């Protein structure tokens, strides 16, 4: 497993609800992914997590039988340790 945290954007054909469900199911079964976003109108799938980008694209291709085109890969610094505390906080009554 890779220690680096990546956010990757891919282009895939999402023609119908069945295609969407197949892609979603494949992403949910991948252990290395922290989060994913499927944009039907733009035909884009974004995933974030500690994974090898090429391996995720290959797995997605095999599981969905759809062409996968990697558009962008960003390496994110995972050393932050979470979200910073919100400034101002919520209203207390």
């Amino acid at each position: 497993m890779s220690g680096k945290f990546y956010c990757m954007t891919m282009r895939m054909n999402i023609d119908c609800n069945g295609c969407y469900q197949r892609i979603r199911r494949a992403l949910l079964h991948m252990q290395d992914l922290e989060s994913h976003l499927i944009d039907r109108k733009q035909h884009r799938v974004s995933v974030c997590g500690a994974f090898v980008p090429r391996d995720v694209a290959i797995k997605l291709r095999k599981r969905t039988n759809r062409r996968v085109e990697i558009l962008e890969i960003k390496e994110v610094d995972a050393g932050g340790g979470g979200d910073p505390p919100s400034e101002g906080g919520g209203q207390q009554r």
Side-chain angles (χ1 to χ4, degrees):
M1 183 170 105
S2 174
K4 296 180 181 178
F5 196 87
Y6 291 99
C7 286
M8 177 171 65
T9 305
M10 300 168 282
R11 180 181 295 142
M12 296 182 74
N13 282 343
I14 309 170
D15 302 321
C16 61
N17 284 339
C19 301
Y20 172 83
Q21 291 296 331
R22 184 182 285 182
I23 292 168
R24 183 173 176 269
R25 199 173 308 121
L27 292 172
L28 288 173
H29 285 285
M30 291 186 195
Q31 300 295 324
D32 300 337
L33 302 184
E34 292 283 323
S35 64
H36 69 269
L37 175 70
I38 303 172
D39 186 353
R40 288 172 144 173
K41 291 183 180 178
Q42 297 286 326
H43 297 286
R44 292 178 192 234
V45 177
S46 300
V47 294
C48 292
F51 56 83
V52 179
R54 189 182 69 198
D55 292 350
V56 169
I58 290 170
K59 280 183 189 176
L60 199 55
R61 164 74 177 100
K62 286 181 179 178
R63 290 183 180 172
T64 61
N65 200 24
R66 298 222 155 250
R67 186 169 151 248
V68 177
E69 179 184 347
I70 297 175
L71 298 176
E72 181 180 26
I73 300 172
K74 288 184 183 176
E75 186 175 336
V76 181
D77 182 21
D83 297 325
S86 60
E87 295 181 20
Q91 294 180 353
Q92 296 179 351
R93 294 182 185 197

